[in-house]
């Protein structure tokens, strides 16, 4: 039998490598690892190994989530991050409420309420902040115009992107691009 372990702060492929190495170092056989979770053979986690796992994860900026609501919250965040930051072909003009409800098999109103009550911001605000962070990345690398970025991130217009960008960052995308403030980018797991 397998056991799925939800892990907080896994936001990139390097995170998968670090977590895989942690499990390997502890002699715990991984069946699979993906953003936000690892699947192991169930009978491998004794109390001592579980404690060692928790310590190793925390030493590397991760945290095992053992409650159902916390795990669901992390799965929501992981789906959003994966969709926005790691899948270039993903259609970002999708209906997020339908997408999350279908992927997680929960009613969207429940997911939205849970997210807001635990994180202090709405699910919609979180999605916007992740999209703005991706827009910052595109602007810093300078390979796309603001119009192309707006299209790529599923905005209906450049004006819509610009309005949300200014609300979140305090400056327009053009001003951000010209100033190229690398320090104003945030780690994906710190966006709230």
């Amino acid at each position: 039998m397998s056991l799925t372990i939800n892990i907080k702060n896994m936001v990139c492929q390097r995170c998968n490598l670090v977590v895989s190495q942690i499990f390997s170092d502890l002699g715990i056989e991984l069946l699979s690892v993906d953003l936000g979770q690892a699947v192991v053979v169930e009978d491998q986690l004794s109390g001592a190994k579980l404690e060692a796992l928790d310590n190793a994860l925390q030493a590397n900026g991760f945290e095992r989530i053992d409650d159902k609501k916390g795990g669901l919250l992390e799965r929501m965040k992981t789906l959003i991050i994966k969709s926005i930051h790691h899948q270039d072909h993903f259609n970002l003009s999708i209906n997020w409420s339908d997408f999350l409800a279908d992927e997680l098999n929960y009613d969207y109103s429940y997911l939205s309420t849970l997210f807001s009550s635990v994180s202090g911001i709405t699910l919609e605000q979180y999605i916007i902040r992740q999209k703005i962070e991706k827009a910052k990345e595109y602007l810093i690398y300078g390979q796309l115009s603001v119009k192309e970025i707006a299209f790529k991130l599923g905005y209906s217009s450049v004006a819509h992107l610009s309005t949300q960008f200014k609300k979140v960052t305090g400056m327009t995308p053009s001003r951000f691009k010209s100033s190229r403030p690398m320090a104003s980018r945030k780690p994906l797991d710190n966006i709230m």
Side-chain angles (χ1 to χ4, degrees):
M1 251 175 100
S2 65
L3 173 69
T4 299
I5 300 171
N6 292 309
I7 302 172
K8 186 176 181 176
N9 298 332
M10 289 182 69
V11 297
C12 65
Q13 295 306 319
R14 280 186 304 260
C15 296
N16 289 350
L17 294 173
V18 171
V19 168
S20 294
Q21 188 62 50
I22 290 169
F23 279 84
S24 176
D25 291 348
L26 294 172
I28 302 169
E29 183 184 350
L30 268 176
L31 299 175
S32 67
V33 65
D34 197 9
L35 296 179
Q37 61 183 216
V39 180
V40 299
V41 176
E42 188 169 11
D43 62 357
Q44 291 187 66
L45 293 175
S46 64
K49 271 205 177 168
L50 202 52
E51 186 177 334
L53 176 62
D54 285 342
N55 291 335
L57 288 171
Q58 286 178 350
N60 286 280
F62 304 109
E63 185 179 335
R64 185 175 57 87
I65 302 167
D66 55 2
D67 68 32
K68 187 175 179 181
K69 287 182 180 180
L72 184 57
L73 180 69
E74 281 304 307
R75 287 176 46 214
M76 278 188 272
K77 287 180 181 180
T78 299
L79 274 172
I80 293 165
I81 288 170
K82 191 185 274 189
S83 299
I84 293 172
H85 297 278
H86 301 297
Q87 294 184 359
D88 199 39
H89 64 279
F90 194 76
N91 178 6
L92 293 175
S93 61
I94 61 153
N95 182 316
W96 284 97
S97 57
D98 290 343
F99 171 71
L100 292 170
D102 290 345
E103 287 291 318
L104 298 169
N105 295 317
Y106 282 92
D107 181 66
Y108 181 74
S109 62
Y110 172 76
L111 295 173
S112 182
T113 301
L114 172 66
F115 193 94
S116 298
S117 66
V118 173
S119 66
I121 64 169
T122 68
L123 192 48
E124 291 78 14
Q125 289 170 324
Y126 183 76
I127 292 167
I128 290 167
R129 290 176 187 184
Q130 287 294 341
K131 288 170 79 172
I132 295 305
E133 201 58 35
K134 186 65 175 178
K136 286 181 188 179
E137 178 183 325
Y138 287 137
L139 290 166
I140 287 170
Y141 295 136
Q143 297 173 334
L144 300 173
S145 69
V146 176
K147 182 178 180 178
E148 291 169 321
I149 293 168
F151 175 76
K152 203 165 180 83
L153 293 176
Y155 284 96
S156 57
S157 66
V158 171
H160 187 208
L161 167 62
S162 295
T163 301
Q164 285 191 344
F165 195 95
K166 188 164 186 173
K167 244 184 221 177
V168 172
T169 67
M171 61 177 82
T172 65
S174 301
R175 176 134 188 243
F176 180 88
K177 187 175 183 174
S178 66
S179 65
R180 292 196 181 221
M182 287 298 284
S184 68
R185 294 227 23 234
K186 297 178 182 177
L188 300 181
D189 55 335
N190 288 345
I191 295 176
M192 273 298 173

